[in-house]
Amino acid sequence: MRLRALLDTDALGLRLLGGEDELDRTVRGVMTTDLRDPSRYLSGGELVLTGLAWRRDAADSEPFVRILATAGVAALAAGEAELGDVPDDIVEACARHRLPLFVVNESVAFATVTEHVVRQVSGERAGDLAAVVDRHRRLMTSGPAGGGPDVVLDLLGTDLDLRAWVLSPAGRAIAGSSAAGPELPAAVCARLAAEHLAATRTGRRGPHRVTLNNTTYSLFPIRTAGRGAAPASRDVRESVLSDWLLAVEADASDWPEERLDLLQGVTQLIAVERDRRDAARTVRRRLAQEVLELVQTGAAPAEIAARLRVAAPVLLPGLGTAPHWQVIVAKVEWDGDGIEGGPVAQSLLEEILVDPLSAGPEPSDRIAVAHNGDEAIALVPLPAVPDEHDGSQAGLHADALLDSVRDPLTAGLADDGRLTLGVSAAVHSAEGLRGALEEARHARRVAAARTGRVCAAGHQELASHVLLLPFVPDDVRRAFTARLLDPLRDYDRKHRAELIPTLEAFLDCDGSWTRCASRLHLHVNTLRYRVGRIEQLTNRDLSRLEDKLDFFLALRMS
């Protein structure tokens, strides 16, 4: 708004004392102060309201006005309640620095002026931003991309003073406005994503209000247009783990409809960019599908190798040579029928496998993922040569993949979904891909035998006894563990004897009395008493290898 508009509003009780030639200045905000030096709180364009309590004598006026002029404020408005008429030294200082000067009638509260200015400025900014967003939307839907989500978020920052970020359902920060300041901590991103997914699964409509560390955020779902039917006509589980969200540092619960509609327009604009990125993944998905079909149908290694040579430049531009490869298999399963988990698992793998060091606006441009039914398969190129001395340490590791995303995805899966993931070892030739695929599938089945909504297993575990456990029938597992461990659990409940923790520590210490007693902070005689009680209750002998192995497996299967 212009300064001139303030004089046209009788309810504000403003009178102009100087600066008539400057009334076309734009007011971008309002600030009330009685500090002698308010410069740290000024950013330019403000109408500064003051009761003149900072003025002790005439010498104070010049430095105060000079500070305001240097900061680029729009005008100064002085109240009459403190000193009556505005002193001449203030009028003269404002004239020297060409700073418009108003008088606020003592019958008018500063709050009245502040409310009027904020309402007018916010309304004008929203109108300007709406026009910009609409223009940007038309450009993006009819021509080349308009700069991605960052451009839209910058508009929110500069025109509405809103700090905002686009997050993935796994809590990755995809974009943020330049005005948003420092990046959101990863833990905050994960919490916001988890809160959003949990609210979405309960059927609550956005925006969702969340308060973390005394900061309030409003979370808006970003539903893409390119995912089939309208959101109202599809099961929320088809999109909950793939749709982005817009996190705004503000409480939108008391926003007017106009501003909420504007933010919905922003989410639609970002959704267009999301659809563009998904379309760009089509080539990589097709490459993965072609290579995996060759692998599964038993094609000649030379044919697979030729296809890999074509795929390598697309997935790793600039390297020029085929890298090593890893295969990752993921499966999303929902209770009940009718929902195909493959597309959801495919989208999740593309998110989980993002390379944070890759360049360009879309860091997932080095991942190729195909899906078949409820299963998604990722073909991951590894630009670094695996360690010749310890190939098992090269490439991606199962637990590390899910550590940072476990909490958000668990919230999205709620109580009726599961994500299980298996990771193969790195291979350096086409001949190894078939084995890597089977290895990843076996590892995923090991993960599926564990408890929890989000589980993973790696190739390292396939050389261990745990490979056998998933294939033991459930009723056999339950009977075996109950026969060995239930007597100990019952005794612990009645006597608080901690026999189960003692058994676990004893086995973990390879039956060493001294090391186990030290770990548990017990006297060796106390440890011997507990082990004796375990043997008495179970009719087993912990000096025998067979009984130790039975207890070990029972604890693993329980």
Side-chain angles (χ1 to χ4, degrees):
M1 66 178 300
R2 306 287 182 182
L3 286 175
R4 194 179 305 279
L6 295 173
L7 291 175
D8 296 335
T9 306
D10 295 336
L12 298 182
L14 295 178
R15 188 172 78 257
L16 184 67
L17 287 186
E20 185 173 353
D21 295 339
E22 306 291 336
L23 292 180
D24 285 329
R25 291 187 180 186
T26 299
V27 181
R28 296 183 57 84
V30 62
M31 175 193 174
T32 300
T33 184
D34 275 313
L35 295 173
R36 300 184 71 187
D37 181 3
S39 57
R40 77 180 89 173
Y41 304 109
L42 299 172
S43 58
E46 296 93 348
L47 171 67
V48 175
L49 302 171
T50 179
L52 302 178
W54 50 267
R55 182 186 179 277
R56 294 191 296 266
D57 55 46
D60 292 334
S61 298
E62 168 63 24
F64 181 81
V65 173
R66 184 172 62 251
I67 288 170
L68 300 189
T70 301
V73 304
L76 174 65
E80 295 180 321
E82 182 76 17
L83 300 178
D85 293 338
V86 176
D88 291 341
D89 47 90
I90 295 179
V91 177
E92 293 167 2
C94 287
R96 279 194 300 273
H97 291 280
R98 300 181 62 84
L99 183 67
L101 176 62
F102 295 92
V103 176
V104 184
N105 190 283
E106 63 180 346
S107 64
V108 178
F110 280 179
T112 301
V113 180
T114 299
E115 182 181 353
H116 175 82
V117 173
V118 170
R119 187 167 58 248
Q120 292 297 316
V121 170
S122 296
E124 291 175 4
R125 286 181 179 176
D128 292 343
L129 180 58
V132 172
V133 168
D134 184 63
R135 185 165 61 253
H136 199 70
R137 181 188 295 114
R138 290 198 300 271
L139 286 172
M140 290 184 69
T141 54
S142 62
D150 302 271
V151 173
V152 185
L153 298 186
D154 283 343
L155 292 175
L156 289 178
T158 57
D159 287 40
L160 288 184
D161 296 327
L162 291 176
R163 289 159 46 88
W165 301 264
V166 175
L167 306 179
S168 77
R172 177 172 63 96
I174 295 167
S177 64
S178 57
E183 294 182 359
L184 277 182
V188 173
C189 292
R191 279 287 307 279
L192 291 177
E195 294 284 350
H196 173 75
L197 292 176
T200 301
R201 286 306 312 272
T202 61
R204 287 163 46 199
R205 295 185 59 186
H208 309 125
R209 181 178 179 274
V210 178
T211 300
L212 299 178
N213 303 324
N214 298 319
T215 301
T216 299
Y217 301 88
S218 294
L219 310 178
F220 294 80
I222 300 173
R223 297 190 173 95
T224 57
R227 295 182 181 274
S233 63
R234 67 184 179 189
D235 193 309
V236 68
R237 294 176 294 181
E238 295 181 47
S239 61
V240 66
L241 296 178
S242 56
D243 284 344
W244 290 351
L245 65 132
L246 174 66
V248 180
E249 190 180 295
D251 186 352
S253 60
D254 58 353
W255 282 4
E257 285 296 324
E258 293 81 5
R259 177 168 284 209
L260 287 173
D261 289 344
L262 177 60
L263 265 293
Q264 294 297 341
V266 169
T267 64
Q268 293 169 12
L269 192 56
I270 296 172
V272 172
E273 181 64 19
R274 171 68 188 275
D275 285 335
R276 288 186 184 278
R277 295 190 182 192
D278 280 351
R281 289 175 172 173
T282 302
V283 174
R284 298 191 295 277
R285 289 174 173 176
R286 187 180 301 122
L287 283 172
Q289 194 72 48
E290 291 175 357
V291 171
L292 290 169
E293 285 178 0
L294 290 174
V295 170
Q296 294 184 102
T297 56
E303 186 178 358
I304 299 173
R307 199 73 193 98
L308 286 176
R309 283 194 294 272
V310 173
V314 176
L315 298 176
L316 288 173
L319 286 189
T321 57
H324 291 72
W325 302 90
Q326 236 175 330
V327 176
I328 300 178
V329 174
K331 192 170 186 179
V332 173
E333 299 171 284
W334 303 102
D335 293 347
D337 299 323
I339 301 177
E340 186 180 8
V344 179
Q346 181 183 47
S347 179
L348 278 180
L349 270 187
E350 288 171 336
E351 166 61 31
I352 293 170
L353 298 176
V354 163
D355 178 4
L357 301 180
S358 60
E362 178 48 67
S364 62
D365 59 1
R366 298 184 177 186
I367 299 162
V369 185
H371 77 83
N372 180 20
D374 287 338
E375 182 182 70
I377 304 169
L379 189 62
V380 182
L382 302 174
V385 177
D387 182 13
E388 296 179 356
H389 300 291
D390 187 2
S392 65
Q393 299 302 310
L396 303 171
H397 294 267
D399 289 337
L401 286 175
L402 294 183
D403 278 348
S404 61
V405 301
R406 196 180 306 274
D407 289 345
L409 296 184
T410 299
L413 292 162
D415 58 357
D416 60 351
R418 285 200 80 199
L419 166 66
T420 51
L421 183 147
V423 181
S424 79
V427 296
H428 64 277
S429 66
E431 290 90 340
L433 278 180
R434 184 175 181 83
L437 176 58
E438 291 305 313
E439 191 174 56
R441 282 175 167 158
H442 277 301
R444 192 208 64 77
R445 284 194 283 270
V446 169
R450 296 172 176 167
T451 58
R453 293 289 166 186
V454 180
C455 298
H459 60 92
Q460 302 94 333
E461 300 175 65
L462 301 186
S464 168
H465 65 279
V466 297
L467 176 62
L468 304 175
L469 300 185
F471 307 103
V472 178
D474 287 345
D475 54 345
V476 175
R477 291 158 61 99
R478 285 193 294 269
F480 181 74
T481 58
R483 188 162 53 248
L484 277 176
L485 301 183
D486 278 1
L488 306 182
R489 290 173 177 145
D490 291 341
Y491 192 88
D492 280 349
R493 276 194 296 268
K494 294 176 182 177
H495 303 283
R496 298 181 180 179
E498 297 188 354
L499 296 185
I500 292 288
T502 300
L503 175 61
E504 291 174 332
F506 186 72
L507 294 175
D508 195 42
C509 292
D510 298 323
S512 169
W513 297 98
T514 304
R515 282 195 292 126
C516 184
S518 177
R519 174 181 294 189
L520 296 176
H521 305 289
L522 298 175
H523 191 278
V524 172
N525 289 341
T526 304
L527 176 61
R528 290 185 183 277
Y529 171 80
R530 289 187 183 180
V531 170
R533 179 63 67 183
I534 292 170
E535 293 175 332
Q536 180 184 21
L537 291 170
T538 59
N539 199 28
R540 296 295 184 109
D541 182 355
L542 278 169
S543 65
R544 285 166 39 88
L545 176 62
E546 294 88 342
D547 288 344
K548 285 181 182 177
L549 181 59
D550 283 349
F551 277 123
F552 180 80
L553 292 174
L555 289 169
R556 278 301 185 101
M557 288 191 291
S558 64

mmCIF file of all heavy atoms in Angstrom, residues 183-198:
data_model
loop_
_atom_site.group_PDB
_atom_site.id
_atom_site.type_symbol
_atom_site.label_atom_id
_atom_site.label_comp_id
_atom_site.label_asym_id
_atom_site.label_seq_id
_atom_site.Cartn_x
_atom_site.Cartn_y
_atom_site.Cartn_z
ATOM 1 N N GLU A 183 18.613 -24.875 6.544
ATOM 2 C CA GLU A 183 17.831 -26.059 6.223
ATOM 3 C C GLU A 183 17.202 -26.637 7.491
ATOM 4 O O GLU A 183 17.763 -26.544 8.579
ATOM 5 C CB GLU A 183 18.718 -27.108 5.568
ATOM 6 C CG GLU A 183 19.256 -26.701 4.211
ATOM 7 C CD GLU A 183 20.089 -27.800 3.580
ATOM 8 O OE1 GLU A 183 20.233 -28.861 4.233
ATOM 9 O OE2 GLU A 183 20.584 -27.596 2.473
ATOM 10 N N LEU A 184 16.033 -27.231 7.317
ATOM 11 C CA LEU A 184 15.407 -27.906 8.450
ATOM 12 C C LEU A 184 16.270 -29.092 8.863
ATOM 13 O O LEU A 184 16.737 -29.854 8.007
ATOM 14 C CB LEU A 184 14.016 -28.408 8.063
ATOM 15 C CG LEU A 184 12.848 -27.431 8.119
ATOM 16 C CD1 LEU A 184 11.567 -28.153 7.739
ATOM 17 C CD2 LEU A 184 12.702 -26.804 9.482
ATOM 18 N N PRO A 185 16.490 -29.287 10.157
ATOM 19 C CA PRO A 185 17.224 -30.474 10.594
ATOM 20 C C PRO A 185 16.524 -31.749 10.122
ATOM 21 O O PRO A 185 15.297 -31.798 10.027
ATOM 22 C CB PRO A 185 17.211 -30.354 12.127
ATOM 23 C CG PRO A 185 16.991 -28.898 12.397
ATOM 24 C CD PRO A 185 16.127 -28.403 11.277
ATOM 25 N N ALA A 186 17.313 -32.765 9.835
ATOM 26 C CA ALA A 186 16.756 -34.022 9.334
ATOM 27 C C ALA A 186 15.737 -34.602 10.301
ATOM 28 O O ALA A 186 14.711 -35.161 9.888
ATOM 29 C CB ALA A 186 17.875 -35.023 9.073
ATOM 30 N N ALA A 187 15.990 -34.464 11.604
ATOM 31 C CA ALA A 187 15.053 -35.007 12.597
ATOM 32 C C ALA A 187 13.708 -34.291 12.535
ATOM 33 O O ALA A 187 12.652 -34.919 12.697
ATOM 34 C CB ALA A 187 15.655 -34.877 14.000
ATOM 35 N N VAL A 188 13.723 -32.979 12.289
ATOM 36 C CA VAL A 188 12.469 -32.227 12.177
ATOM 37 C C VAL A 188 11.716 -32.646 10.915
ATOM 38 O O VAL A 188 10.500 -32.845 10.935
ATOM 39 C CB VAL A 188 12.742 -30.712 12.177
ATOM 40 C CG1 VAL A 188 11.465 -29.925 11.889
ATOM 41 C CG2 VAL A 188 13.335 -30.277 13.507
ATOM 42 N N CYS A 189 12.443 -32.795 9.811
ATOM 43 C CA CYS A 189 11.807 -33.248 8.568
ATOM 44 C C CYS A 189 11.132 -34.601 8.770
ATOM 45 O O CYS A 189 9.985 -34.817 8.321
ATOM 46 C CB CYS A 189 12.838 -33.343 7.447
ATOM 47 S SG CYS A 189 13.496 -31.752 6.890
ATOM 48 N N ALA A 190 11.829 -35.517 9.427
ATOM 49 C CA ALA A 190 11.264 -36.850 9.655
ATOM 50 C C ALA A 190 10.019 -36.780 10.530
ATOM 51 O O ALA A 190 9.023 -37.466 10.267
ATOM 52 C CB ALA A 190 12.315 -37.763 10.290
ATOM 53 N N ARG A 191 10.052 -35.950 11.573
ATOM 54 C CA ARG A 191 8.883 -35.816 12.453
ATOM 55 C C ARG A 191 7.694 -35.224 11.714
ATOM 56 O O ARG A 191 6.547 -35.669 11.871
ATOM 57 C CB ARG A 191 9.228 -34.938 13.651
ATOM 58 C CG ARG A 191 9.963 -35.653 14.779
ATOM 59 C CD ARG A 191 9.034 -36.598 15.563
ATOM 60 N NE ARG A 191 7.836 -35.943 16.036
ATOM 61 C CZ ARG A 191 7.752 -35.192 17.129
ATOM 62 N NH1 ARG A 191 8.839 -34.976 17.871
ATOM 63 N NH2 ARG A 191 6.606 -34.659 17.505
ATOM 64 N N LEU A 192 7.943 -34.192 10.905
ATOM 65 C CA LEU A 192 6.849 -33.568 10.148
ATOM 66 C C LEU A 192 6.238 -34.572 9.178
ATOM 67 O O LEU A 192 5.011 -34.654 9.048
ATOM 68 C CB LEU A 192 7.362 -32.344 9.396
ATOM 69 C CG LEU A 192 7.772 -31.140 10.257
ATOM 70 C CD1 LEU A 192 8.333 -30.030 9.385
ATOM 71 C CD2 LEU A 192 6.582 -30.617 11.067
ATOM 72 N N ALA A 193 7.093 -35.329 8.488
ATOM 73 C CA ALA A 193 6.578 -36.329 7.551
ATOM 74 C C ALA A 193 5.766 -37.390 8.287
ATOM 75 O O ALA A 193 4.697 -37.809 7.822
ATOM 76 C CB ALA A 193 7.726 -36.970 6.783
ATOM 77 N N ALA A 194 6.253 -37.827 9.445
ATOM 78 C CA ALA A 194 5.531 -38.844 10.218
ATOM 79 C C ALA A 194 4.175 -38.316 10.684
ATOM 80 O O ALA A 194 3.156 -39.023 10.597
ATOM 81 C CB ALA A 194 6.370 -39.284 11.421
ATOM 82 N N GLU A 195 4.144 -37.083 11.174
ATOM 83 C CA GLU A 195 2.877 -36.497 11.632
ATOM 84 C C GLU A 195 1.901 -36.371 10.465
ATOM 85 O O GLU A 195 0.700 -36.623 10.606
ATOM 86 C CB GLU A 195 3.141 -35.127 12.256
ATOM 87 C CG GLU A 195 3.959 -35.156 13.531
ATOM 88 C CD GLU A 195 3.146 -35.613 14.731
ATOM 89 O OE1 GLU A 195 1.922 -35.733 14.609
ATOM 90 O OE2 GLU A 195 3.749 -35.848 15.796
ATOM 91 N N HIS A 196 2.408 -35.969 9.314
ATOM 92 C CA HIS A 196 1.545 -35.818 8.138
ATOM 93 C C HIS A 196 0.972 -37.168 7.704
ATOM 94 O O HIS A 196 -0.236 -37.283 7.434
ATOM 95 C CB HIS A 196 2.346 -35.198 7.003
ATOM 96 C CG HIS A 196 1.621 -35.155 5.698
ATOM 97 N ND1 HIS A 196 0.609 -34.258 5.427
ATOM 98 C CD2 HIS A 196 1.733 -35.922 4.582
ATOM 99 C CE1 HIS A 196 0.145 -34.459 4.207
ATOM 100 N NE2 HIS A 196 0.807 -35.477 3.679
ATOM 101 N N LEU A 197 1.825 -38.191 7.644
ATOM 102 C CA LEU A 197 1.356 -39.508 7.214
ATOM 103 C C LEU A 197 0.355 -40.090 8.205
ATOM 104 O O LEU A 197 -0.649 -40.690 7.809
ATOM 105 C CB LEU A 197 2.543 -40.449 7.042
ATOM 106 C CG LEU A 197 3.497 -40.128 5.890
ATOM 107 C CD1 LEU A 197 4.685 -41.076 5.896
ATOM 108 C CD2 LEU A 197 2.774 -40.210 4.555
ATOM 109 N N ALA A 198 0.618 -39.900 9.499
ATOM 110 C CA ALA A 198 -0.307 -40.418 10.506
ATOM 111 C C ALA A 198 -1.665 -39.731 10.393
ATOM 112 O O ALA A 198 -2.711 -40.386 10.488
ATOM 113 C CB ALA A 198 0.277 -40.209 11.908
#
